[in-house]
Amino acid sequence: MQIESWDDIRNALAVARMGTVSGAAQALGVHHATVIRRIDALEAALGVRLFQRHPRGYALTEAGQTLLDEAGAADARFAQMAARIAGAGERIEGEIVVTSLPELTDLVLPRLIGLMRAHPALRLRYLTDPRLYRLETGEAQVAIRAGARPTEPDYVARPMMTMQTGLYGSAGYVAGAGALEDLRAHRFVLPGLEARRAPFMQWLGDRLAPENIALVSNDPAVRMAAISAGLGLGWVPTARAGDLIQVMTLPEWDSHFWLVTHVDLHRSPKVQAVLKALRSGDDGTGNGGAA
């Protein structure tokens, strides 16, 4: 014996509760012939009569009463499950995955920590990796991306901030090396391949020879330490330059950052709360978080 569809049981439950086929059909929003066909199919599958037909309607048999008790309880559990699932979607809790760039951690993490303090049931997975996580497969729910605005058809991209970047050196290096007239007369501290799309790296192109590169690191803290120690010049966000000396800046070096979500989850309260937190406050660029 196999019941082909829960719809057959739903129709039988409606008849049991309403007492008539017409009442059940109205409650379900279907034609009365559909209700009759579903009940006949269910009785054939079970091999028993669930109802006694009479001029005033349908009366439950003993087997029908069993169906009403058991299936009615199952229907109530399904309703409770649906309510819990729907309610979970409205609450700011559970796990959320945010992907970002290493150099943004000191800006992004305080905002996310503030959100988690406001919502203690929220659990964060914060990933920094040069690869692009796929939102459509659930690898992440919110991604911070740099460069041109993402154009994937199912993605929603909103501006997060624009970060001004300049070429900086320590006071000692600048005093000893002199003015920046020829790039190949200087030594440089650079990020690795993960930053190849950064505006200043694209501008740099083949302007340097290998011997001009003093250090390469994918760790922003390492690069900052090397620049501060006078090992060479390097590109640093203007807001984080501190005591370093700016030797050059160009508007095309500015980096644009985007908050990216998948269209199916963009409007969920949890994702919206994360987006609001990431766009709030002072981003350290002087732009107030707006691009």
Side-chain angles (χ1 to χ4, degrees), residues 209-227:
E211 55 268 24
N212 294 118
I213 301 172
L215 180 143
V216 173
S217 175
N218 64 351
D219 188 329
V222 170
R223 296 198 300 272
M224 179 64 82
I227 297 167

Side-chain angles (χ1 to χ4, degrees), residues 4 26 39 61 130 213 241-242 263 279 286:
E4 295 294 334
Q26 184 175 4
I39 291 174
T61 63
I213 301 172
V263 65
R279 296 195 66 181

Side-chain angles (χ1 to χ4, degrees), residues 58 152 208 221 260:
Y58 278 42
E152 290 90 339
L208 295 182
V260 188

Side-chain angles (χ1 to χ4, degrees), residues 67-121:
L67 177 135
L68 178 61
D69 295 341
E70 299 298 330
D75 191 48
R77 288 194 295 271
F78 283 138
Q80 292 170 0
M81 176 186 68
R84 287 198 300 270
I85 292 173
E90 296 302 316
R91 296 190 295 270
I92 302 173
E93 64 180 22
E95 183 178 88
I96 190 162
V97 181
V98 177
T99 70
S100 185
L101 304 171
E103 57 267 32
L104 297 183
T105 296
D106 62 343
L107 293 176
V108 169
L109 201 54
R111 302 179 188 185
L112 294 176
I113 289 173
L115 176 66
M116 295 176 70
R117 285 176 175 162
H119 302 280

Side-chain angles (χ1 to χ4, degrees), residues 232-274:
L233 301 174
W235 278 266
V236 178
T238 301
R240 304 181 192 174
D243 294 332
L244 296 176
I245 306 300
Q246 185 183 96
V247 297
M248 186 177 179
T249 185
L250 292 172
E252 58 260 41
W253 290 351
D254 292 350
S255 296
H256 301 285
F257 295 91
W258 306 90
L259 292 171
V260 188
T261 57
H262 192 274
V263 65
D264 290 343
L265 297 177
H266 177 71
R267 292 295 178 188
S268 68
K270 183 163 58 176
V271 168
Q272 284 293 309
V274 171

